[in-house]
């Protein structure tokens, strides 16, 4: 039984790297990108998640992110996030969570599971940044995200308290480089892992989608949890079909 093989691989693994995508947050109510009703059904990525789009139409880009920010603020981590946080906290240092998601739900799951104990071992490497933070497009200053963005005109968009330049969401857009320290740490973890657990990603966006490949090249195994097959499915020792919120806890608890 595939789930039994997956459970055994997770139990025996000395080092685990986890890669999550939008699918792990779907059951929390955060729309995925490419699925039915996905974020990019109503918009096209090139229109919004690029620096060119922001330069051309900052109000439209801010309108989309302000809507997503308020939507995510109402969402809760689901049992999939909680199970992964528990995996990372049971043996600190054994599991590294790498997420493409910008919704912050892994962080919130870590704090919920750890309670007053140290939740840091379950904090994810957020390779695409975080939607609840702002970054200054001028001096780069990072701050807590403005919650009442007024996208009606460039003048009403949030501006930096330090240099006055326009703020942007602290996320990585298409065509932008990832933070080398963050993606570097993700690849370092993948290189020494004997197991990569991939949950809820279409594995289309690079360089994040290379994480499982790094583990494979280093001789490790891949387990995939997804509703549908992806380009990783044939490389996986086990590819489980099902909802992350229901399946992932059965592999870990
Ligand atoms: C870079 C943050 C180089 C913003 C995101 C042409 C021009 C420019 C670049 C490129 C190009 N061609 C290729 C590239 C590279 C590009 C890329 O990979 N493009 C792809 C589309 C081909 N990558 C980049 O541009 C990256 N930067 O390469 O820079 C560089 C180097 C040096 C100097 C300068 C530049 C930057 C990529 C980061 C883009 N930002 N997000 C935001 O969120 O708005 S990516 C975005 O897609 C999200 O982060 C998301 O996480 C990510 C990947 O999508 P998924 O998470 O996989 O979500 P998706 O909906 O696709 O899939 C969901 C999956 O879950 C499905 O498989 C579904 O079946 C499953 N699922 C659904 N529900 C469930 C489930 N599974 C389980 N349970 C469920 N309940
Ligand atoms: Zn500034």
């Amino acid at each position: 039984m595939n789930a039994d093989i997956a459970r055994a691989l997770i139990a025996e693994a000395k080092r685990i790297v986890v890669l999550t995508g939008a699918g792990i947050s779907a059951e929390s109510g955060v729309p995925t990108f490419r699925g039915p009703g996905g974020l990019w059904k109503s918009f096209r990525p090139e229109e919004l998640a690029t620096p060119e789009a922001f330069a051309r139409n900052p109000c439209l880009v801010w309108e989309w992110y302000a809507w997503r920010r308020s939507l995510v603020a109402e969402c809760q981590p689901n049992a999939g996030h909680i199970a992964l946080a528990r995996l990372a906290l049971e043996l600190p240092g054994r599991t590294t969570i790498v997420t493409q998601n910008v919704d912050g739900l892994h962080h919130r799951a870590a704090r919920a599971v750890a309670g007053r104990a140290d939740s840091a071992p379950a904090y994810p490497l957020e390779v695409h940044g975080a939607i609840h933070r702002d970054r200054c497009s001028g001096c780069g200053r990072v701050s807590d995200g403005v919650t009442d963005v007024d996208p009606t005109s460039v003048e009403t968009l949030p501006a930096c308290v330090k240099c006055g330049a326009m703020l942007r969401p602290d996320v990585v857009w298409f065509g932008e480089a990832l933070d080398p320290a963050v993606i570097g740490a993700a690849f370092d973890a993948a290189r020494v892992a004997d197991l990569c657990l991939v949950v809820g990603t279409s594995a289309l966006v690079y360089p994040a989608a290379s994480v499982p490949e790094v583990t494979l090249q280093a001789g490790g195994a891949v387990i995939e949890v997804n509703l549908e097959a992806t380009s990783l499915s044939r490389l996986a020792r086990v590819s489980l079909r099902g909802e992350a919120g229901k399946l992932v806890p059965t592999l870990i608890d």
Side-chain angles (χ1 to χ4, degrees):
M1 200 6 205
N2 272 349
D4 296 331
I5 298 170
R7 261 191 291 278
L9 285 168
I10 292 170
E12 287 149 20
K14 288 182 193 50
R15 281 211 187 91
I16 303 171
V17 64
V18 181
L19 175 69
T20 65
I24 193 160
S25 296
E27 290 148 270
S28 294
V30 181
T32 62
F33 286 80
R34 296 168 183 86
L39 281 171
W40 286 341
K41 282 279 165 294
S42 27
F43 300 100
R44 283 165 9 92
E46 299 72 15
E47 273 168 22
L48 292 172
T50 67
E52 294 75 21
F54 188 65
R56 190 174 55 244
N57 192 340
C59 292
L60 176 66
V61 173
W62 256 119
E63 192 178 345
W64 186 48
Y65 280 95
W67 168 70
R68 285 175 62 194
R69 180 177 282 176
S70 58
L71 181 102
V72 164
E74 302 299 314
C75 296
Q76 297 300 326
N78 63 57
H81 296 105
I82 298 293
L84 290 176
R86 190 169 292 128
L87 177 70
L89 289 166
E90 73 188 6
L91 272 178
R94 176 169 93 122
T95 304
T96 302
I97 300 175
V98 180
T99 189
Q100 301 169 87
N101 301 339
V102 296
D103 57 32
L105 292 181
H106 282 297
H107 256 100
R108 287 167 51 192
R111 283 200 291 272
V113 172
R116 274 198 298 274
D118 176 13
S119 49
Y123 283 162
L125 291 166
E126 294 176 314
V127 296
H128 294 158
I131 199 168
H132 48 276
R133 286 196 304 263
D134 288 337
R135 173 158 37 98
C136 177
S137 54
C139 68
R141 180 176 181 273
V142 173
S143 51
D144 287 342
V146 169
T147 50
D148 54 352
V149 173
D150 173 1
T152 39
S153 80
V154 172
E155 290 66 43
T156 61
L157 288 178
C160 178
V161 291
K162 256 182 63 186
C163 76
M166 195 182 294
L167 299 188
R168 54 168 284 174
D170 187 23
V171 298
V172 180
W173 281 328
F174 285 101
E176 289 188 320
L178 280 64
D179 179 335
V182 180
I183 190 67
F187 285 144
D188 290 348
R191 208 167 292 117
V192 298
D194 42 343
L195 179 65
C196 178
L197 172 59
V198 185
V199 184
T201 184
S202 56
L204 293 172
V205 174
Y206 284 84
S210 308
V211 164
E213 293 158 18
V214 169
T215 299
L216 283 169
Q217 273 147 25
V222 167
I223 294 174
E224 179 184 43
V225 173
N226 199 308
L227 291 179
E228 62 191 15
T230 70
S231 58
L232 285 178
S233 303
R234 59 184 173 75
L235 304 173
R237 182 80 59 82
V238 174
S239 184
L240 299 171
R241 289 293 159 273
E243 291 188 304
K246 295 180 185 54
L247 241 176
V248 170
T250 67
L251 304 180
I252 291 170
D253 290 340

